[in-house]
Structures are given as structure tokens and as C-alpha cells.
Amino acid sequence: MPRNPQLNDKGELQHLLSVEGLPRELLLQILDTAESFAGVTDRDIKKVPLLRGKSVFNLFFEGSTRTRTTFEIAAKRLSADVINLNVAVSSTSKGESLLDTVANLSAMHADIFIVRHGSSGAPYLIARHVKPHEHVINAGDGRHAHPTQGLLDLFTIRHYKKDFSGLTVAVVGDVLHSRVARSLIHGLTTLGAPEVRVIGPQTLIPAGAAALGVRVCHSMKEGLKDADVIVMLRLQNERMSGALLPSAQEFNKNYGLTAEKLALARPDAIVMHPGPMNRGVEIDSNVADGPHSVILPQVTFGIAVRMAVMSMVAGGG
Amino acid sequence: MKLLVKGGRVIDPASGRDAVGDVALADGRIVEALAGKPDRVIDAKGLVVAPGLIDLAARLREPGDEYKATLESEMDAAVAGGVTSLACPPDTDPPLDEPGLVDMLRRRAKALARARVYPVGALTVKLQGKQLTEMAQLAEAGCIAFSQANAAVADTQVLWRALQYAATFNFPVWLRAEDLWLAQGGVAHDGEVATRLGLAGIPVFAETVALATLLELVRATGARVHVCRISSAAGVAMLRRARHDGLPLSCDVGAHHVHLSDMDLGYFDAQCRLEPPLRSSRDRDALGAGLADGTIDCIVSDHTPVDDDRKHLPFAEAEPGATGLELLLPLALKWGVQARLGLAQTLARVTSAPARILGVEAGRIAHGAPADLVVFDPEAPWRVSAQALKSQGKNTPFLGLELTGRVRATLVAGEVVFEG
Amino acid sequence: MAALPDAEALCASLASALAPRIGPSSAMIGIHTGGAWVAERLHAALGMKEPLGFLDIAFYRDDYDRKGLARDPKRSKIPFDVAGKDLLLVDDVLYTGRTVRAAINELFDYGRPASISLVVLVERDGRQLPICAQHAGARVQVAAGMRLRLKRGEQGRLSLELERAA
């Protein structure tokens, strides 16, 4: 196996491509650093000069306003210059290859590329071809990984539950297609959460799931019992009918998080969702807006986590 | 032209001969002894002299994809790899479904005077799996078998009729076993690695379901079927039972699949994007064992030149395939060493066995056989690099790695076509 | 080699020196980590009105491009409004002056103080910026290649130590 492309030979973070393969100490360092960035919003000038003069290019081949906006806010809080590339109308849609697009941007003195792409592995390809001072942060590649989301989920869990060592975490929904689920699961197993469950119909749980270190459950009754953390995954429209699932209604009946099913979990369980939510499909409104939900704080934590990641990759040494 | 290959370790898997000696060639044939002095003597001391390799699957990218490779470059690659006969699959552009195309390919190859080229014709028009090709006419033009390359015949009725038709004329049909629907969208073996990497998977049962269908149709039609590029342990087991039951089957495995598994994908290495996919290490080991016990007859290169532009892409978007003509010999030797088989047994998998399937005289060292030989150093190491490869396809997972086994000379029809 | 001064004694003498300067608009901020420990001593001794503030200068250092982000940044916390205050900025050792430069820049992102006075436990030669302390507990000579560090012992007792510079 070749060396982990995310780390330089000193074991420092050069790129953030996946939670998988990051050592435990590094994961904790990211969370701790995010903690200190959380204080930046407490002051008049909500900025620190860390990335002043550096350019952050948002290279989104897949649309996303929410993730792109949080990266932009995070970069600006670090005093970086942010350039958003709307790839749909850019040269790539005219047939320019991924690597040519990156090479052209690199010629414009980029420091950090934030990349979201529909094909698993695309950020790795980019990371293999950028210059030594350029850094790649994966904002989601195919169904492989969404490391900053995984990290902010870990940050959220730590914020409310303090410690991973006794936790039961349930991840519910379309695990097969979910990069968010994969990143979170890797993080939880690295940080020592003893019981991580995935819940969904067989059609939405990947063949190699057990190898990820999770317990596969096909019913909410089994999977939510005594859970401390429940993470609901978004069910995409195109999956809602067809060969994977018959309908959104049937999915909601068996796997949607209702107040009744929530009662199976621990009384102090928290409910998370990476967003955007399909109310009434994977999660009912009364739960999404209820006292167990930490869905909105997740968004705030996302900015601090992304600030931490950007400052850790871009630092010299 | 009279030639003497002198003093090498002569290995002929077909007869079991394995001893130091000379091989005499005259008028394009191997002879017991030369009448008179040779025009040239090739010193094979310390080297192995074997029948030229016979590769049942090598894409020459002509007609059609000339920007990827040319007939000339790939024929150079073949003889540099010690391959003296090769069969090329019908997935050219346009596919080999017309006698005119087949004829043109054969003539161009013959004019280059390097390896012997045996075209495999398309089983269905444009490989679309709907309408049978004019197999008799294609056979007359030179096709030695019919195949779908990597395109499935989804309509089982068409598959049945195609096998029946081919059986009528005793034409061999070479097919990969993969169900179109079960494999659809997949780019990697459906297992732990694909799950971790977030790649759409092709489950093993995509192969076994199609194989079961194929075996039943063989039973029903009596067609001579050669199963191409078997990829799984379960598939090998099914073949073992079928051969035990006496079905007239033969089978091959890709050289890369005997050595690599899905673990080698690493961090999305598109050089490992292959068809069929690299499966688990258990599957890989079963392929090696199947080759050793004869369930699988031979190793092929499945040579598929792909240029850098089509490989420097995210894994699922990259074009599948690996260059292989120059790696067939060292990869076969490496398998032989791991299987603890002697050189003769090892070489059988790339000489006498494919010769039998192809139905040609070559592939053996005997009086009167075609003078197709390879002279090689089984111990010589070499680094697989873009410079070292003659093929225009530099795409292989072995790029940058060292392999053992270097061709020193290749002869076709008694002519020296390569010296290294 | 002269012995290093007693850190606890220095804190006490600094507190005495500062006492007459404390007014209604005074506030104190310690720089993590050593400056924070000294500030805790001083703040307790001086009985100031405003709670103690802490600064971690990790995000304002000038060596980020060379060394990257510090391993374990703490959270800056200033629980009062900086605007219009007469700030006492506290650090343990004043050497090159770069830490203080970073701290002042960070402070100004919180608001506009009326004044900033620098209070250090010890100062040594080697200034690289035009920065000086208004109050210093002692001046110490440090040999080349050595570094002066403030340590906190098990019972919380502060002491100065010399160690080889990295």
C-alpha cells in the first residue's frame, strides 16, 4: 500500500481527503483546534489573520450551496481570499479534463482547493498532481467520503456527550450511497466508540458494511434501543422509488425517525442530521425541531471545524 | 533460411522435453537436424528456448483507436514479449463483424511480418447482442472463433440461438461470464474495498449467474465454449464441476488477475481499473489454484492499451484495461514459482494449452512444427517503465515495479523478429 | 552562573508595584500559558474588579508559514468589553517581543483599549521588535543557546528554569 497521501513524511496533515487513515491523535487535534476557533465569533472582529494573503478555491463539480457557503465563511474568518468556481458553466463542461482544470487554477496561485466531485477518489487524483505548497480539502467525493462533515459530527457528539468510550451511535438510512456515513463511521471507530450501528433495509446497506466495524440492523426497534446518538441520513429523491425502495411513505413507516421511535433510545439521546432534511421522510418535524435535536448547532460547529482543517493543512513546516 | 538456436535449455511442454540442446530451423519449420551449415547461429547458452508464447487476448487497437496504439507498435510489443501468436478480440472500432474488416486486419498484420494474428469475430452485429453475425463468412475471412469481448448478450434467447448456430458449424465461442444487469454501473469487486472506497460494486454472483446460464446452454446446444477471464473462486468451482461432468469447455484467466486483488486498488489507482474487476485475495488465490489443477487452461494478457488521458481520471471514469503483451511471460513465470511448478508446467499455460484451444500447430517444439520460438532469461530482472515498454499502452499496475523474465530473441516462421 | 530568581517572590513584588496603578478602568489579560499563570497570581493579589482574561496567540503568530499551527491551541477568552479599558497585558518571559506583538494585534480585534501596559515576570536580552515592558519583575542574563521557561509544579508553585533551546 502506498503512503497515506494526506500526511507528509512528518505525519502532518497536508490534505484532508478522508477520515479513514487519520491517526487518533490527529483526529483529536483537529477537534481541539476547532474548539479554539469556536471562540472567534465572540469578538468584534470575527477574523484571525492566519490565512491572510492565501487563496482558497472552491471547486465544486457537484452543486451545493450549504457546504460551499460554510467553507467560504470559514475561509474568510481566516482572512483568506475566496474564489468560487461554478464548474457547470466553466471550462470543464466544455470537455476540459479534471487535471487540466486544476493545472489552470494552480497557475493562478491557489493555496487551497476545496473540491466536491461526483466520482469517488477525484480529490486523490487532484492531490497527486498539485504542487507541494497546494493543499486539497475534500468537500465530498461520490459516495466515498465527506471528511469535514464527519469531523463536525464528531465535534458535535463530543460537545454533547464529552467522551466516545461509552457511546452507542446509530446511523440510519441510505448508508450504501452515503459518504457522510462512511466518514462518521471511520471517525467513531478510530475514537473508540464501542457500538456503532447502521440501520436500514438490506437494499441500502453495503455488502462490506460489517468490515467497517459496524453492527447491521434492519429494524429501528433493534437499532435504536438505548442509543446515545442518532444520525439520520438524507434519502435522495431518486432513491425513493424504484428497485431500491418502493416509496418514501414506506421508508418513513419503517425507518423514519418519529417521536415514538425516538423513545426507544436513551432519554438524553441527541438527534443529528447532516442536512438538508426531507421532513416527513427520514425525520418527522416534531423530532427535527424537538429538544433532542442538535441539527442547528451542527451547522455552527461546521464553520469552526472547517477553519481548523484549513489552518492545519495550510501551515508550513 | 537455416537457423540454429544453440546450447539453450530447450523446454517443450507438449512433449515434456526439458534438456540443454539445440533447435534447428529450416524454411520456417522446426527440423530434427540441419542439412548443411546454418545461415545464422543464435547462442542460447544460459537461456531457455521454448515455443513462442500464444496469447488468446490482445487488443491491437486497429481498426479504430489508432491514437491509443497502432498495429505496428503493438506487434512490436508482442514479439518483444515473446508472443508469436495472438488472438485479437472483436471489440475494435468498428467491431469485427464484417468479413472485409477481418480481411484487412489479417493482411495488415501479415505484412508487418511479426506475430501471427488470429482475429476473433463478433458473435452479434456491432456486439449489440441482438442479431447474429454471418459467422460462416467471417470464418472464411479468417476468424478462428466468435466472441462478445466485454459486451454482454442480455437477451438469453439470442445467446441460446447464437450458441446453437455456432455449434452447427462447430465454431468455437469465446465468452466472458457476466450478467449485464447485475454488473451494471459497477466498477470494482463488490466487497470490503469497494465499500470503503465508495465505489459501485460488481458482485461475484454477476459472474456465477451468467456462468450458470452459459453452462446450461452449453449442455443444451453442445457448443464449444471457451470461458474468458474467469475472476472468482465461486466461478472456478463451478467450472471445476462442469469439467468434471464432461462439458466441452475451456477457460482462461487474465495475467493481472492471478497476481492482484482489490487490495491493490490502494488509493483509487486507476491502473487497477480492469474488466473483470480485481476481486478479493481469496478469489485471486483460487484463480492461481484453478490454473494449477487444470480447471483453467491458460493465462492471457488481455492486452488493452489505454493512454494516460483516459487513466488520469477518477477511478469510475477511467477506461478499464491494462497493457500486457510484454508482461505475459514474467507474470506467467511468477505464477509458476508461486505455484511451485517447474518451468515446463508453467510454460504450458502460455504455449501448448492456448495452442490447443486455438487449434494451431504452433506452441510446440517438434519436427515439422512452425518455427515460432522464444529465447529468454528466466532470471533476468527488469523494471516496468514507460521507456521499457514498446507498447503505446503504458497502463499497468506493475508500472515502476520489478519483474523477472526477459526475452532475448523471438522467432516467427523461422525469422528473427525481435532481439533484445 | 547566578541562580535564577524565585518566581513566586517575583509575583509578589510585581503585585506590590502594580497595586498603586490599578483604577476603575483597569483590566488584566494573561498570555497562555506562562503569562496566564502569572496573571492568575497577580489578579488574585490585586483584587481587580473585572474578571481575568486570557489570550492564546496561536492564530496571530508570525511563524505560521514556517512552522504551521501550534499543536494545542487554547481558547482565547476575554469576559469583558476591551473598549476603553486600561489593560495590563501579562506574560512570563519577554525575549524577542514577537509574542507581545501577536497579542496586541489580537487584542485590537476584540476592540479598542484606552491603553496597554506590558507586565512581565522576567525580561532578558534579545529584543527583535521595538517592544518594552512597563513592569518587569527582574532582568535575567541567559547564555546563548539556552531558553528561560516558567514551570508550574504539582502544588501550583511557579518556578523559573533554564533549558536548551530547540
Side-chain angles (χ1 to χ4, degrees), chain B residues 2-309:
Chain B
K2 291 194 288 228
L3 245 137
L4 188 67
V5 182
K6 197 172 164 57
R9 178 180 166 194
V10 181
I11 301 182
D12 176 34
S15 66
R17 172 177 172 191
D18 182 353
V20 173
D22 302 340
V23 180
L25 314 174
D27 300 321
R29 301 252 155 205
I30 297 174
V31 293
E32 286 277 351
L34 280 180
K37 274 184 57 105
D39 299 302
R40 185 175 163 186
V41 174
I42 294 178
D43 179 9
K45 184 145 156 254
L47 302 172
V48 170
V49 180
L53 270 50
I54 298 180
D55 189 352
L56 296 187
R59 287 176 177 79
L60 305 173
R61 294 308 194 191
E62 249 185 63
D65 299 316
E66 282 97 354
Y67 68 95
K68 288 180 194 166
T70 63
L71 190 60
E72 193 163 343
S73 66
E74 301 321 291
M75 296 288 268
D76 278 346
V79 294
V83 172
T84 54
S85 297
L86 59 92
C88 59
D91 55 355
T92 47
D93 179 19
L96 292 177
D97 61 3
E98 296 243 299
L101 294 167
V102 175
D103 191 52
M104 193 167 65
L105 174 61
R106 282 194 68 221
R107 282 199 274 115
R108 290 251 305 128
K110 200 148 181 230
L112 285 170
R114 292 188 194 43
R116 301 175 199 269
V117 173
Y118 297 94
V120 179
L123 186 68
T124 61
V125 173
K126 295 196 192 347
L127 295 172
Q128 278 174 354
K130 294 203 173 73
Q131 192 192 328
L132 305 188
T133 50
E134 294 173 311
M135 291 186 222
Q137 296 206 40
L138 286 167
E140 220 172 302
C143 287
I144 48 88
F146 297 93
S147 169
Q148 284 284 115
N150 286 318
V153 179
D155 187 335
T156 40
Q157 170 98 203
V158 173
L159 183 60
W160 173 28
R161 299 305 182 190
L163 289 174
Q164 273 187 323
Y165 191 77
T168 307
F169 300 93
N170 206 25
F171 292 147
V173 182
W174 294 10
L175 293 172
R176 259 198 64 208
E178 189 172 83
D179 184 271
L180 176 74
W181 304 112
L182 295 173
Q184 194 162 72
V187 299
H189 167 62
D190 194 25
E192 291 177 25
V193 172
T195 298
R196 272 185 21 246
L197 295 181
L199 295 172
I202 303 176
V204 164
F205 53 78
E207 178 166 274
T208 53
V209 163
L211 190 53
T213 303
L214 191 54
L215 294 177
E216 283 301 300
L217 291 177
V218 168
R219 258 182 267 267
T221 62
R224 273 168 58 199
V225 165
H226 172 78
V227 179
C228 306
R229 293 349 81 75
I230 197 75
S231 74
S232 68
V236 174
M238 281 176 75
L239 282 168
R240 194 174 279 120
R241 278 194 296 277
R243 298 189 78 155
H244 178 80
D245 290 345
L247 279 190
L249 292 170
S250 58
C251 171
D252 71 51
V253 68
H256 285 85
H257 292 70
V258 178
H259 294 292
L260 303 172
S261 73
D262 59 357
M263 291 294 293
D264 293 294
L265 263 61
Y267 295 106
F268 302 96
D269 186 1
Q271 302 295 1
C272 288
R273 173 107 162 80
L274 301 176
E275 276 175 343
L278 294 170
R279 295 199 182 275
S280 73
S281 39
R282 244 196 79 244
D283 293 307
R284 175 202 58 201
D285 296 343
L287 294 174
L291 198 51
D293 73 18
T295 303
I296 306 174
D297 298 90
C298 56
I299 311 175
V300 307
S301 71
D302 209 16
H303 181 74
T304 305
V306 176
D307 54 35
D308 286 350
D309 283 350

Side-chain angles (χ1 to χ4, degrees), chain A:
Chain A
M1 276 282 266
R3 190 172 54 82
N4 188 337
Q6 305 189 75
L7 308 176
N8 63 16
D9 32 26
K10 289 186 220 145
E12 293 162 346
L13 199 64
Q14 274 292 98
H15 307 291
L16 180 69
L17 304 176
S18 161
V19 174
E20 187 187 10
L22 294 181
R24 190 192 144 83
E25 303 70 40
L26 189 55
L27 275 187
L28 290 171
Q29 193 190 337
I30 296 173
L31 297 184
D32 290 338
T33 306
E35 186 64 55
S36 46
F37 275 114
V40 173
T41 36
D42 298 341
R43 24 145 117 200
D44 269 14
I45 310 272
K46 295 172 186 13
K47 275 192 189 223
V48 296
L50 223 41
L51 295 189
R52 202 164 72 107
K54 300 235 194 306
S55 296
V56 174
F57 282 65
N58 264 333
L59 199 49
F60 276 56
F61 292 87
E62 252 187 7
S64 157
T65 317
R66 154 198 303 249
T67 305
R68 216 191 61 209
T69 310
T70 45
F71 268 108
E72 187 170 346
I73 293 173
K76 286 180 169 164
R77 294 240 174 110
L78 293 169
S79 304
D81 296 321
V82 179
I83 295 93
N84 286 308
L85 280 127
N86 185 355
V87 182
V89 297
S90 78
S91 41
T92 308
S93 65
K94 294 178 200 151
E96 186 182 56
S97 78
L98 178 59
L99 289 183
D100 277 343
T101 305
V102 173
N104 282 323
L105 294 174
S106 177
M108 296 185 224
H109 302 291
D111 294 283
I112 300 180
F113 288 105
I114 316 268
V115 182
R116 171 172 281 201
H117 198 284
S119 286
S120 299
Y124 285 77
L125 181 64
I126 296 175
R128 279 201 280 274
H129 288 87
V130 292
K131 304 203 191 78
H133 68 273
E134 291 169 343
H135 309 276
V136 179
I137 296 180
N138 182 6
D141 64 326
R143 45 172 106 156
H144 170 240
H146 193 351
T148 57
Q149 180 71 43
L151 288 165
L152 81 86
D153 289 342
L154 292 171
F155 185 92
T156 306
I157 295 173
R158 192 169 83 154
H159 181 87
Y160 290 98
K161 297 292 174 185
K162 303 290 176 273
D163 182 22
F164 292 94
S165 63
L167 287 185
T168 297
V169 181
V171 180
V172 186
D174 186 2
V175 179
L176 176 61
H177 298 98
S178 174
R179 53 193 175 212
V180 169
R182 280 171 179 76
S183 288
L184 178 58
I185 289 168
H186 287 306
L188 288 169
T189 47
T190 306
L191 292 178
E195 170 105 341
V196 179
R197 303 173 189 155
V198 293
I199 311 174
Q202 216 184 45
T203 48
L204 296 181
I205 307 287
L212 294 173
V214 300
R215 188 177 127 202
V216 177
C217 305
H218 293 307
S219 81
M220 292 288 255
K221 192 150 170 259
E222 186 199 346
L224 288 183
K225 187 159 162 38
D226 298 330
D228 297 289
V229 179
I230 304 171
V231 181
M232 301 307 299
L233 300 174
R234 175 184 164 71
L235 187 68
Q236 280 172 294
N237 283 315
E238 54 269 29
R239 320 258 186 241
M240 287 188 206
S241 65
L244 291 170
L245 284 178
S247 70
Q249 289 80 358
E250 185 149 302
F251 181 81
N252 178 264
K253 185 160 178 297
N254 290 307
Y255 299 99
L257 189 61
T258 59
E260 196 192 328
K261 293 199 198 101
L262 180 53
L264 294 162
R266 282 209 208 285
D268 60 351
I270 53 171
V271 172
M272 296 168 51
H273 192 304
M277 293 184 277
N278 284 313
R279 289 168 180 268
V281 179
E282 65 258 12
I283 189 168
D284 283 1
S285 281
N286 57 0
V287 174
D289 303 325
H292 295 265
S293 163
V294 300
I295 295 172
L296 285 178
Q298 274 179 278
V299 179
T300 317
F301 298 148
I303 298 174
V305 165
R306 283 162 181 138
M307 288 174 77
V309 166
M310 279 190 267
S311 20
M312 284 174 71
V313 298

